[in-house]
Amino acid sequence: LFGEKYGEEVRVVTMGTALHGDKAGKAYSVELCGGTHVRRTGDIGLVTLVAEGAVAAGVRRIEALTGAAARAYLDEQDKRMRALAGLLKVGAADVPNRVAQLVEERKRLEKELADAKKKLAMGGGGEGGEAPVKTAGAFQLMARVVDGINPKDLKGLADDAKTKLGTGVVVLISVADDGKAAIVTAVTKDLTEKVNAVDLVRIGSEALGGRGGGGRPDMAQAGGPEGAKAEAAISAIEAHLVGL
């Protein structure tokens, strides 16, 4: 075995007898000693697998407990299952189904919460609750610092904002709990020959203490470590639009 060192003599363990095929009459399993220091397989007793994974291409590694250790492990697992069943107020056999239901319910609630946060971020979801639109030079600008929004959701929000805006520029900045910011800039299709979203996002990123950013002329994304400067980033983009 590669990476292993052996002396002049190596212990070999055989088990069983093959009944069919080319190996009929020969040992079913022939292994180099892996620590199974028993006289016969029956000495091992109960075996329970506790882990399994890949260690190389086409090679799997399994970990198991045997004998008294296996029984103790299974007893502990049984206690945990009974405790879990008690918390869920179901029989042990119904635990998997109940957990699956709870997982699905959590996913649904998380989606509802995310949708509510998006509506709130863009103005509240009530009548007249749209994000404010201002004039920046020759362009309409919808810019907002949104709270509690995952950066990966900013592009979707920006697309929605562009649709509502009709024509203009959208700037959305989300600030995480650690103070870092993510910024998305979007430009409606009719303006991409005059305004490039990548140029805008790089201006915003620089104001946020970051560098670079990328995307398409109509949608770009970047970030920066100084989320406290989110309003300054919006102002920098607005000043750039005014100067065009």
Side-chain angles (χ1 to χ4, degrees):
L1 298 178
F2 295 109
E4 301 288 344
K5 294 182 179 180
Y6 298 93
E8 292 183 1
E9 294 184 1
V10 179
R11 182 171 183 261
V12 177
V13 179
T14 62
M15 178 177 69
T17 302
L19 301 177
H20 307 287
D22 296 338
K23 295 184 179 180
K26 299 180 181 179
Y28 180 78
S29 174
V30 180
E31 309 287 346
L32 297 181
C33 174
T36 54
H37 298 287
V38 294
R39 292 170 298 174
R40 59 185 66 85
T41 55
D43 293 341
I44 298 172
L46 179 65
V47 177
T48 182
L49 299 182
V50 296
E52 183 266 345
V55 294
V59 179
R60 310 293 292 183
R61 172 188 176 88
I62 64 171
E63 297 180 14
L65 295 174
T66 64
R71 288 192 292 274
Y73 173 81
L74 293 176
D75 285 344
E76 185 62 29
Q77 291 294 89
D78 182 65
K79 291 178 181 177
R80 291 172 181 170
M81 177 61 77
R82 291 178 183 277
L84 185 57
L87 288 173
L88 296 175
K89 293 180 171 49
V90 296
D94 296 323
V95 167
N97 288 336
R98 181 56 181 148
V99 170
Q101 291 173 358
L102 291 175
V103 170
E104 288 302 316
E105 183 177 350
R106 176 172 177 171
K107 288 180 180 178
R108 179 181 60 79
L109 292 174
E110 287 178 343
K111 185 179 183 304
E112 290 179 359
L113 179 59
D115 290 342
K117 284 183 176 180
K118 290 177 183 178
K119 290 181 180 180
L120 184 62
M122 296 306 294
E127 293 296 328
E130 301 294 339
V133 178
K134 64 174 71 173
T135 300
F139 311 99
Q140 289 191 102
L141 173 63
M142 181 186 292
R144 195 177 188 93
V145 179
V146 293
D147 296 321
I149 300 298
N150 191 310
K152 69 180 182 181
D153 294 327
L154 287 179
K155 286 186 177 181
L157 280 177
D159 274 331
D160 292 342
K162 281 199 304 179
T163 300
K164 295 175 182 177
L165 188 59
T167 180
V169 175
V170 176
V171 178
L172 298 177
I173 301 177
S174 174
V175 181
D177 293 338
D178 61 2
K180 295 180 180 179
I183 177 173
V184 164
T185 57
V187 179
T188 54
K189 289 289 187 181
D190 61 310
L191 298 178
T192 52
E193 292 186 2
K194 300 177 181 179
V195 185
N196 191 311
V198 176
D199 294 337
L200 298 182
V201 87
R202 288 175 177 171
I203 292 170
S205 177
E206 184 176 353
L208 293 167
R211 295 183 62 184
R216 308 185 307 269
D218 65 323
M219 180 79 73
Q221 187 168 15
E226 301 178 44
K229 297 182 179 180
E231 293 293 346
I234 291 175
S235 296
I237 293 173
E238 181 178 355
H240 176 77
L241 292 174
V242 171
L244 291 178

